[in-house]
Amino acid sequence: MTGTKPASAVTIREVSTRNDLIEFLRLPARLYRNDPAWVPPLLFERLHHLDPRRNPFFSHADVRFWIAGRDGLPVGRISAQIERTAADNAIREGHFGFLEAEDSAETFAALFGTAEAWLRQRGARCVLGPFSLSINDESGLLIDGFATPPFVMMGHARRCYARRIEEQGYAK
């Protein structure tokens, strides 16, 4: 009798070191390795962009990054960010971004659950996204045109993302 080993549970860990951040940034290369339209970002540029000493966004926002793992391999990532300047708004918005993951309901639920809980702890009443990091950076989700390589500041996505995000309660 042959069978498949059941997948282990998804674990989530916060990015806390430079090596974690590099792993976070390199994850899409594995997910998109067979996608001819995907264009890998430049690692040095992404590291620069996510450096709080170099990007002024960090001076007025709180940001966290997480990596989802399964069986010792990274299988997903997400960020959550909330601007401190928005603290007086009647509806305080939090944002998610940098979303990449295997096509797994469990992985998406774990990533969104972690990001939403962190945002809720900081007073967010609603969550919008994807914004990587803000609306002034890559924003939105590709839902059509998967065969076309992205242009500058346009994200690429896997076909399953729209469905998986909608399963988490999000809508256009």
Side-chain angles (χ1 to χ4, degrees):
M1 179 161 109
T2 60
T4 58
K5 179 183 168 190
S8 63
V10 173
T11 59
I12 302 290
R13 67 182 164 84
E14 187 174 331
V15 170
S16 61
T17 68
R18 181 174 169 83
N19 285 341
D20 290 346
L21 185 59
I22 290 170
E23 181 180 31
F24 178 90
L25 293 171
R26 287 187 172 159
L27 171 66
R30 199 173 97 255
L31 295 173
Y32 290 98
R33 69 181 170 268
N34 296 321
D35 185 339
W38 183 69
V39 177
L42 299 172
L43 181 60
F44 78 89
E45 187 281 328
R46 293 287 78 194
L47 285 168
H48 186 275
H49 184 67
L50 298 181
D51 184 342
R53 296 167 298 164
R54 294 185 168 139
N55 186 337
F57 180 76
F58 290 90
S59 68
H60 59 86
D62 294 322
V63 181
R64 290 295 182 279
F65 305 100
W66 295 275
I67 298 171
R70 184 191 303 273
D71 297 324
L73 291 174
V75 295
R77 71 179 195 182
I78 197 167
S79 70
Q81 48 274 355
I82 190 163
E83 294 191 52
R84 289 186 297 274
T85 55
D88 296 326
N89 292 349
I91 299 176
R92 187 155 188 219
E93 294 178 357
H95 298 150
F96 74 89
F98 290 97
L99 179 66
E100 300 289 356
E102 66 183 353
D103 186 3
S104 160
E106 180 186 17
T107 301
F108 274 78
L111 288 166
F112 275 91
T114 300
E116 290 168 353
W118 184 85
L119 289 166
R120 197 171 22 260
Q121 290 170 353
R122 280 146 190 83
R125 295 187 183 143
C126 69
V127 180
L128 303 175
F131 299 116
S132 302
L133 291 164
S134 75
I135 198 165
N136 297 317
D137 298 310
E138 286 182 13
S139 60
L141 179 71
L142 181 69
I143 59 169
D144 191 16
F146 294 96
T148 304
F151 291 91
V152 174
M153 298 204 46
M154 290 180 64
H156 193 66
R158 301 176 73 208
R159 292 180 187 272
C160 64
Y161 286 7
R163 175 175 44 88
R164 293 294 184 198
I165 293 170
E166 288 172 349
E167 289 172 354
Q168 301 308 309
Y170 292 82
K172 292 185 221 177

